[in-house]
């Protein structure tokens, strides 16, 4: 008996692109029906996907593509993986911004400042924060957009802006 390269438990439909050899006749049998079924299944799924794709020429006329200015314009489909990844990223960045605010508070407490204003110089914050993350400037911009911190200037640069005061607003 010759050795069979395919498992005997598989049917010809489960192995569509490979050949099976019959030990007795040594004939090559290719499952064309299995390949045809798989191709047809893929074709139907792809056509349905293209009907929902706003950039495809095969869109359904009843699919409403959001226009600029509408609430869902530029947003992923509800319940999609893209929407979930966006929510996860937003949570992660919000956590990092909160950690940045905590670091600013800690540095201010070490400074023994008098008064209610919590502030730190950018150079001091950069020296302390460089061991935590390499995204300090981006996080500061995000925190300013959320009105958590205030600093002068549009962008902060290491060395040039080391004496710029960053004030914690909340």
């Amino acid at each position: 008996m010759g050795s069979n390269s395919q498992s005997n438990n598989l049917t010809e439909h489960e192995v569509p692109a490979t050949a099976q050899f019959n030990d007795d006749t040594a004939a090559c049998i290719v499952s064309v029906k299995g390949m045809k079924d798989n191709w047809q299944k893929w074709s139907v799924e792809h056509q349905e996907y293209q009907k929902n794709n706003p950039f495809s020429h095969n869109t359904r006329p009843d699919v409403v593509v959001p226009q600029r200015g509408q609430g869902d314009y530029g947003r992923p489909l509800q319940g999609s993986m893209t929407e979930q990844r966006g929510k996860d990223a937003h949570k992660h960045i919000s956590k990092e911004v909160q950690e940045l605010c905590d670091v600013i508070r800690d540095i201010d407490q070490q400074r023994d400042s008098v008064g209610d204003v919590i502030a730190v110089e950018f150079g001091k914050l950069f020296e302390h924060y460089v061991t935590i993350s390499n995204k300090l400037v981006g996080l500061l911009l995000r925190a300013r957009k959320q009105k958590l911190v205030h600093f002068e200037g549009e962008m902060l640069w290491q060395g040039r802006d080391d004496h710029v005061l960053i004030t914690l607003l909340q």
Side-chain angles (χ1 to χ4, degrees), residues 22-57:
N22 187 339
D23 288 338
D24 298 331
T25 61
C28 180
I29 303 170
V30 177
S31 174
V32 176
K33 183 172 178 9
M35 287 190 326
K36 179 182 159 264
D37 291 343
N38 283 341
W39 179 260
Q40 189 63 35
K41 178 182 171 193
W42 176 86
S43 176
V44 169
E45 289 172 357
H46 185 70
Q47 286 173 355
E48 286 301 312
Y49 173 77
Q50 288 297 89
K51 287 178 183 176
N52 294 322
N53 182 355
F55 302 108
S56 170
H57 298 292

Side-chain angles (χ1 to χ4, degrees), residues 65-75:
V65 178
Q67 299 298 316
R68 183 175 253 197
Q70 290 179 337
D72 53 349
Y73 178 76
R75 304 246 183 230

